Amino acid sequence: MKWPRLALCMHRFQLSGLNLERFINLMNREDIPLHHVRRRGTRQLTAQCFSSDLPRIRVLADEKGWKLEHVHAVGLSGLAAGMKRRKGVPLGIVLACALVLALSQFVWQIHISGAGAHTADIRAYLQAEGYGPGTRRSSVDASALEAALTYRYPDIAWFHVYVRGASLVVEVAPGVPPPEIEAHSSCDVIAAHMGIVDSVRVYAGTSQVKRGDVVQKGDVLIRGVERSSDGSFVPVAASGVVIARCWHSETVSFPLFDVSSSETGREHVFRQIRTPLGILAQRQEETPFLAYNTYLSETPVGGAFFPLTHQRITRREVAMEYVPRDVSAVRAEAESAAFKRLKTALKNDDIIDKWVDYCMIEGDTLALSATAEWLMDIGESASP
């Protein structure tokens, strides 16, 4: 049975004898790759080979009269040899993993954020309820704990409790009391959006606009003053409804050409080993293709206690060309995308009219601008 060649399972050896160039040529004919070949005088050389090729090299060396000596395992083969000499190391690794797995089933830290002056009291309450270092993760009922904390601290807006890793996290958002509004304070109603005024209904204050006026965002619509019976002006909190016709546009661009690709048959292959600690890759040559498809095949090696994966990455050259698209199909696709953006931007506003404008950009791109018109209450209270 011929074992697969793994980039990290290798042996280093020294070869002695005459006509060492003949040995190298023999390895090429036998399709046995050598690495890091170094001459040590006229009758010696050192090299590395795949561990799976070492028995074949021994046989050929004995047949042809060369002396193979100083054979040492390197890479994963060296690691495996070291494991055989130190039999307690694999057992220690297994026990350490088992210990980490067992400890990960418990909560070891309590993190409380945003609680301010309530932090110490919340920590004491959690300890009294049995939530502390050493609590099993499966016994933490986050929903019930959130409800209990919300009931216990009515001045807290909300609690968010969850387990992250080995920590029980309690996030707190204190309640914010509503601002006190000074009696008889004055504030205006201003425009939250530009548009053309369609109707005005004033409940308090004095209107500053009429039907047909064009207003910009931030303009005063209803002034926070009213004339009293004696002719003087009294400050009030302005309120009312100002309905305006508003517009919004969304622009999208779509190419008039598709890119078609097909594989040429040329490919470039390299391999690597994926371990829990990272990726060990053979020295990679630069891929000589401008465009390529990448294919990945994986072979598990090492078993469950030493998870390694041998990956073979193949890059196949592709040739690309531009293919013209049907203009009517591109227009329909662009119009659908633009109106979808409009619907998202306007949310629940009722559109009363909409239209599109097209333009070509350098002959290979179609730009479409979709505009919608709708009615909305553009008034909002300004801070006093």
Side-chain angles (χ1 to χ4, degrees):
M1 177 179 179
K2 187 174 181 180
W3 295 94
R5 292 170 175 168
L6 301 179
L8 298 179
C9 296
M10 307 191 75
H11 275 72
R12 182 186 297 113
F13 63 86
Q14 177 179 300
L15 190 75
S16 303
L18 298 174
N19 198 1
L20 297 178
E21 289 77 8
R22 180 165 165 260
F23 170 77
I24 296 175
N25 293 333
L26 178 62
M27 295 298 101
N28 290 333
R29 288 198 303 272
E30 294 291 332
D31 191 24
I32 300 177
L34 299 178
H35 303 269
H36 305 292
V37 179
R38 299 288 187 274
R39 292 296 296 264
R40 306 295 184 188
T42 59
R43 297 189 177 186
Q44 285 185 346
L45 64 77
T46 60
Q48 290 185 13
C49 68
F50 291 108
S51 299
S52 59
D53 293 329
L54 184 61
R56 179 61 177 162
I57 294 176
R58 287 186 185 275
V59 171
L60 293 175
D62 291 341
E63 290 178 354
K64 305 301 181 182
W66 291 299
K67 185 177 181 182
L68 190 69
E69 54 188 356
H70 302 302
V71 179
H72 301 288
V74 295
L76 291 181
S77 297
L79 180 62
M83 290 293 185
K84 290 181 180 179
R85 293 193 299 270
R86 301 173 179 85
K87 297 184 178 180
V89 173
L91 178 60
I93 294 175
V94 173
L95 292 177
C97 292
L99 180 61
V100 170
L101 181 61
L103 293 178
S104 66
Q105 305 303 312
F106 297 87
V107 171
W108 298 107
Q109 288 183 320
I110 306 294
H111 291 294
I112 302 174
S113 62
H118 296 288
T119 301
D121 189 61
I122 293 176
R123 190 177 298 278
Y125 172 74
L126 293 176
Q127 190 69 33
E129 292 296 319
Y131 295 102
T135 302
R136 289 190 62 87
R137 289 165 52 102
S138 59
S139 66
V140 177
D141 189 342
S143 300
L145 186 54
E146 287 178 1
L149 288 170
T150 302
Y151 178 79
R152 179 180 174 85
Y153 301 96
D155 56 333
I156 300 296
W158 55 264
F159 289 88
H160 182 34
V161 180
Y162 57 94
V163 177
R164 181 180 61 200
S167 300
L168 176 63
V169 181
V170 179
E171 295 180 353
V172 183
V176 179
E180 296 183 0
I181 301 176
E182 183 183 355
H184 307 297
S185 62
S186 173
C187 65
D188 301 329
V189 173
I190 63 175
H193 198 285
M194 69 169 295
I196 299 178
V197 176
D198 186 74
S199 63
V200 180
R201 294 198 301 272
V202 178
Y203 304 135
T206 304
S207 176
Q208 302 296 299
V209 296
K210 61 183 184 299
R211 178 185 175 90
D213 287 347
V214 178
V215 296
Q216 301 293 330
K217 183 177 180 179
D219 288 351
V220 176
L221 304 176
I222 304 175
R223 184 72 67 187
V225 293
E226 289 183 348
R227 188 183 295 272
S228 64
S229 57
D230 60 1
S232 62
F233 289 95
V234 178
V236 297
S239 64
V241 176
V242 181
I243 303 297
R245 294 161 54 203
C246 303
W247 295 268
H248 181 77
S249 297
E250 291 287 346
T251 301
V252 296
S253 298
F254 279 74
L256 292 172
F257 294 88
D258 276 335
V259 178
S260 174
S261 63
S262 60
E263 295 186 356
T264 64
R266 299 175 60 197
E267 65 179 31
H268 177 251
V269 179
F270 64 92
R271 297 174 174 84
Q272 61 188 22
I273 297 293
R274 180 182 292 274
T275 72
L277 301 179
I279 295 177
L280 303 175
Q282 69 182 65
R283 185 176 179 181
Q284 300 180 16
E285 300 178 357
E286 184 178 354
T287 304
F289 311 137
L290 293 177
Y292 51 83
N293 294 329
T294 301
Y295 300 88
L296 173 65
S297 62
E298 296 184 332
T299 303
V301 295
F305 294 104
F306 198 69
L308 298 176
T309 303
H310 173 247
Q311 296 182 333
R312 184 178 188 272
I313 301 174
T314 304
R315 292 175 176 169
R316 296 176 181 172
E317 183 184 30
V318 296
M320 297 185 295
E321 62 176 347
Y322 288 100
V323 178
R325 303 178 61 190
D326 181 62
V327 177
S328 60
V330 176
R331 286 191 175 186
E333 186 177 354
E335 184 173 332
S336 174
F339 282 132
K340 186 177 295 184
R341 285 191 180 183
L342 277 177
K343 185 176 180 180
T344 302
L346 300 182
K347 298 180 181 177
N348 297 324
D349 295 315
D350 293 329
I351 298 175
I352 60 176
D353 195 9
K354 58 184 179 182
W355 61 91
V356 296
D357 296 305
Y358 299 93
C359 70
M360 304 290 287
I361 303 176
E362 297 181 356
D364 59 359
T365 302
L366 175 69
L368 181 144
S369 178
T371 304
E373 177 184 352
W374 75 98
L375 294 174
M376 67 174 291
D377 179 10
I378 62 172
E380 66 176 6
S381 296
S383 300

